[in-house]
Amino acid sequence: MHNPPTPLLPHHVAIVMDGNGRWAQKRWLPRVAGHKQGVDALRAIVQACVERGIRVLTVFAFSSENWNRPQEEVRGLMDLLGLALGREVPRLIESGVRLYFPGDRSRLSDKLVRNLEAAEQATAAQSRLVLNVCFNYGGRWDMVQAAQRLAARGEPITEESLSRATALAHVPDPDLLIRTGGEQRISNFLLWQAAYSELVFTDCLWPDFDAEQLDLALAAFARRERRFGQTSEQRAQSAPAHDAEARHA
């Protein structure tokens, strides 16, 4: 009796965690309460990714445009990140999670920058899951800073060199990009890296997104045919080598 085939699992999952504010407003709570609930949802999804064997999880925590939100909400998000770092880092180490914080740190406080660096260093030996928390990140910013870095070094700008200079050069491009909260756009997230990502949009607000919702997105991904500009017949011949390369990236 043959075992059923293992469903295709993405190596790298990226998530736009949208809907925290609306989740709070529906309950007559301040928006920051929704962000606090969103941290709990992220903790559960990180653990679900570890259990399912996903190797990279990248989440959009604070975009370059979020500075335009009410100052009370911005301050609350900054304070929340600081509190979450102190509380979550020991749990992440226990689960084998390595942290990165891709993004522009020039507008962050010195204290917060030190906390981000300390969290990255504390988790540097972990290898079960890479967790990229994109904070003060924008896809256009990432492409500009990568080009500026290459220009400053006098390097020619090619697809390969630009990829190596982005803020997420330490991981392969995302296979699956999920956006919660009902909107169907990527909102300046991973513009370069998501060129061939499969997109899944869900009406579920981020604080309600759980392992069951993740599995629905993974099942949708497993049903997709990823051709990368080729025909189905070409992909059938090249997919085994490509998939093996992606798994070991």
Side-chain angles (χ1 to χ4, degrees), residues 149-166:
R149 185 181 300 182
L150 293 175
R153 296 197 295 242
E155 293 186 33
I157 297 176
T158 66
E159 284 194 24
E160 292 75 17
S161 66
L162 194 67
S163 290
R164 291 195 301 269
T166 65

Side-chain angles (χ1 to χ4, degrees), residues 144-200:
V144 168
Q145 70 83 29
Q148 289 174 335
R149 185 181 300 182
L150 293 175
R153 296 197 295 242
E155 293 186 33
I157 297 176
T158 66
E159 284 194 24
E160 292 75 17
S161 66
L162 194 67
S163 290
R164 291 195 301 269
T166 65
L168 283 99
H170 56 284
V171 293
D173 291 344
D175 305 292
L176 170 63
L177 192 155
I178 303 167
R179 180 171 185 148
T180 65
E183 305 291 353
Q184 298 190 13
R185 55 180 178 268
I186 60 175
S187 296
N188 198 22
F189 184 46
L190 305 181
L191 295 183
W192 180 266
Q193 296 86 351
Y196 282 100
S197 300
E198 296 297 322
L199 307 180
V200 170

Side-chain angles (χ1 to χ4, degrees), residues 106-220:
S106 64
R107 293 188 64 179
L108 307 182
S109 70
D110 291 343
K111 180 180 179 181
L112 183 53
V113 170
R114 288 195 300 271
N115 288 340
L116 297 183
E117 292 172 348
E120 289 178 334
Q121 292 169 6
T123 61
Q126 309 309 312
S127 59
R128 289 188 70 185
L129 174 74
V130 171
L131 173 60
N132 298 304
V133 180
C134 293
F135 200 83
N136 197 26
Y137 174 91
R140 290 180 175 179
W141 163 84
D142 196 7
M143 295 166 71
V144 168
Q145 70 83 29
Q148 289 174 335
R149 185 181 300 182
L150 293 175
R153 296 197 295 242
E155 293 186 33
I157 297 176
T158 66
E159 284 194 24
E160 292 75 17
S161 66
L162 194 67
S163 290
R164 291 195 301 269
T166 65
L168 283 99
H170 56 284
V171 293
D173 291 344
D175 305 292
L176 170 63
L177 192 155
I178 303 167
R179 180 171 185 148
T180 65
E183 305 291 353
Q184 298 190 13
R185 55 180 178 268
I186 60 175
S187 296
N188 198 22
F189 184 46
L190 305 181
L191 295 183
W192 180 266
Q193 296 86 351
Y196 282 100
S197 300
E198 296 297 322
L199 307 180
V200 170
F201 300 104
T202 172
D203 291 333
C204 181
L205 301 177
W206 174 248
D208 294 326
F209 193 86
D210 56 14
E212 182 178 353
Q213 290 288 332
L214 175 64
D215 286 338
L216 289 174
L218 296 178

